[in-house]
Amino acid sequence: MTAQPPPPVPPAVRVWPAFDAKDARTDRGMVVKARGGTLASVLAYAGGVPVPGRLDAARTTWRSDWALKPGAEHTVTATATRPGAPSTVAVGRFRTREPGHTFGVASAVPLPGETVGVGMPIILNFDTPVRDKAAVERALEVRTAARRAPGDDRPGTSAAKPVEEGAGAAEPVEGAWRWVGDTQAIYRTKEFWPARHQVTVTAHLAGVRSAPGVYGTADRSFTFAVGREQTSTVDTRTHQMVVRRDGRVAQRMAISAGMATTREYTTTSGVHLTMDKGNPVRMVSPGREKGEPGYYDVMIDHAVRISNSGEYVHAKNNLWAQGTVNVSHGCINSRPDQAAWFYAGSLRGDPVTITGTDRELAWDNGWGFWQLSWEDWVLGSALRTPAPARDEMRSTPSPPLPQR
């Protein structure tokens, strides 16, 4: 009598966290593995919401994309197959632990729906100090999509809708996060954003461990639009400012820059970004009391801020100096009608590059982040290198009173 071969052994399936766990960790995510076969499907839910994840190339391991939602019941159905053997279906559930202390995003720049300039950074401020910066940075996602049409790029307009299938594709954009202290992370692209793109930022913080006993409980997502490309160049030696939109000269402006009698009155050279604006803005001489030499307290029209050291591009009716001599206290003065034009058309994040002075813009003065080379910028990423040295983790200074 011929012996019958043993029946084929079905593949095995293992799931982490283990089924029936009542206090599972969230920060390590979920892993499903097949042994002796491949995974045909993995269906995972947290409180009825699908858990995103992906298979490896061999289709033997599935991992969740992000950490797991805390304090939630998770259900898993995983099917493994192998030719000539019965399939294995593993079904179970587990519950993740409740967080002892929580953290999240306290504020973000840009604002949701804002249209910004091509130099715009993304700034996330967290409500508690982040110790495990790599874990938090790993949970930060930035996605870009081309916009359907140029649309209206005026300041304050909402983001355009993403491109429809077949209508175009987003340009690849390389960027990196840099930590400034324990509560702020800043994202800068390697090159300026491509014009007329939509950017979606998602902080997948639910379940992420930012410090011992501190976990995120919710994700945070927002979308903004990059508008037309506007870049400005200011030469303090020739006293000229040129504004270009989408590569074409849109305005030439005679200007007067800082008189440079002191460092304080010297305009900073470097790549600035427009940060905010006001009409009018009150400008008070820093470090001087009323009655002292050099004291001023004035209201200035159509002022666009470009640093935290009191520098603006603004209107001033000193036409005799504009185009001829530098007489300001550090700001860029321009003809009132041209200043009004620049004010009306400026978006936050428009680059303004100034040359011709011996005072360099510090990278942490306002949004002077483009002052760092790309190689230096990425040194502040917790995922690219070891934690930055302490002298690289300076907080952005509080803005002083503006000067004129």
Side-chain angles (χ1 to χ4, degrees):
M1 184 175 182
T2 304
Q4 295 293 320
V9 178
V13 176
R14 293 193 65 186
V15 178
W16 295 271
F19 286 156
D20 300 323
K22 304 298 183 184
D23 191 32
R25 289 185 61 159
T26 60
D27 54 314
R28 295 180 178 175
M30 185 189 307
V31 179
V32 180
K33 288 191 174 186
R35 192 170 188 178
T38 58
L39 290 168
S41 68
V42 176
L43 301 175
Y45 297 87
V49 178
V51 176
R54 64 196 68 199
L55 285 164
D56 64 359
R59 299 187 64 86
T60 58
T61 303
W62 179 96
R63 297 180 186 275
S64 61
D65 290 338
W66 313 105
L68 302 179
K69 184 178 180 180
E73 183 173 87
H74 291 66
T75 59
V76 183
T77 302
T79 302
T81 61
R82 188 179 71 204
S87 299
T88 298
V89 180
V91 180
R93 65 187 64 213
F94 61 86
R95 188 171 185 84
T96 49
R97 68 181 58 172
E98 298 281 353
H101 300 281
T102 64
F103 86 105
V105 175
S107 63
V109 175
L111 298 174
E114 183 177 358
T115 300
V116 302
V118 295
M120 189 71 187
I122 301 167
I123 304 173
L124 298 182
N125 294 296
F126 299 96
D127 55 14
T128 60
V130 174
R131 303 303 177 194
D132 192 344
K133 293 179 175 61
V136 172
E137 186 176 332
R138 200 174 290 114
L140 304 179
E141 181 183 29
V142 179
R143 289 182 174 271
T144 60
R147 294 164 62 188
R148 182 159 45 223
D152 189 349
D153 292 333
R154 292 174 300 172
T157 57
S158 297
K161 294 180 180 180
V163 70
E164 295 177 334
E165 185 177 356
E171 297 180 32
V173 179
E174 182 179 359
W177 293 93
R178 182 182 182 90
W179 289 88
V180 182
D182 290 336
T183 59
Q184 187 177 81
I186 303 169
Y187 185 90
R188 202 206 85 183
T189 46
K190 183 177 183 180
E191 307 291 342
F192 291 152
W193 295 104
R196 299 180 178 89
H197 271 56
Q198 180 172 280
V199 182
T200 300
V201 183
T202 305
H204 299 272
L205 299 182
V208 173
R209 178 182 179 270
S210 67
V214 183
Y215 292 84
T217 58
D219 296 341
R220 170 80 175 268
S221 185
F222 63 95
T223 297
F224 63 91
V226 181
R228 79 292 175 270
E229 180 188 39
Q230 175 170 301
T231 60
S232 301
T233 55
V234 178
D235 190 330
T236 63
R237 294 161 297 193
T238 62
H239 319 290
Q240 297 294 320
M241 176 172 175
V242 180
V243 182
R244 291 177 172 84
R245 285 187 180 164
D246 296 322
R248 296 183 178 182
V249 174
Q251 189 73 269
R252 297 183 185 274
M253 302 161 61
I255 60 94
S256 181
M259 63 183 75
T261 53
T262 65
R263 179 175 175 79
E264 175 187 15
Y265 291 161
T266 302
T267 303
T268 58
S269 286
V271 182
H272 304 66
L273 297 178
T274 55
M275 300 177 67
D276 57 42
K277 56 188 180 180
N279 182 37
V281 168
R282 183 186 179 191
M283 298 194 179
V284 182
S285 51
R288 289 172 174 80
E289 299 293 334
K290 188 174 183 179
E292 293 181 352
Y295 173 82
Y296 58 83
D297 184 348
V298 294
M299 302 299 290
I300 297 294
D301 293 337
H302 297 115
V304 180
R305 182 160 69 97
I306 58 173
S307 78
N308 272 357
S309 55
E311 294 169 299
Y312 285 74
V313 177
H314 67 70
K316 193 165 179 65
N317 199 26
N318 59 342
L319 305 187
W320 60 270
Q322 293 163 9
T324 304
V325 62
N326 294 324
V327 298
S328 85
H329 294 97
C331 290
I332 303 299
N333 302 162
S334 61
R335 206 172 69 199
D337 62 316
Q338 291 187 325
W341 175 89
F342 184 75
Y343 177 96
S346 290
L347 301 169
R348 291 205 298 172
D350 286 338
V352 178
T353 302
I354 300 175
T355 58
T357 74
D358 61 3
R359 182 185 176 189
E360 284 293 313
L361 175 69
W363 76 268
D364 57 354
N365 180 355
W367 294 345
F369 310 130
W370 292 96
Q371 288 295 94
L372 291 181
S373 68
W374 179 245
E375 292 72 22
D376 287 339
W377 179 262
V378 299
L379 292 178
S381 166
L383 299 180
R384 306 279 181 119
T385 63
R390 188 164 298 277
D391 63 356
E392 295 179 320
M393 299 173 63
R394 295 173 290 171
S395 296
T396 302
S398 299
L401 291 172
Q403 55 198 57
R404 60 186 175 94

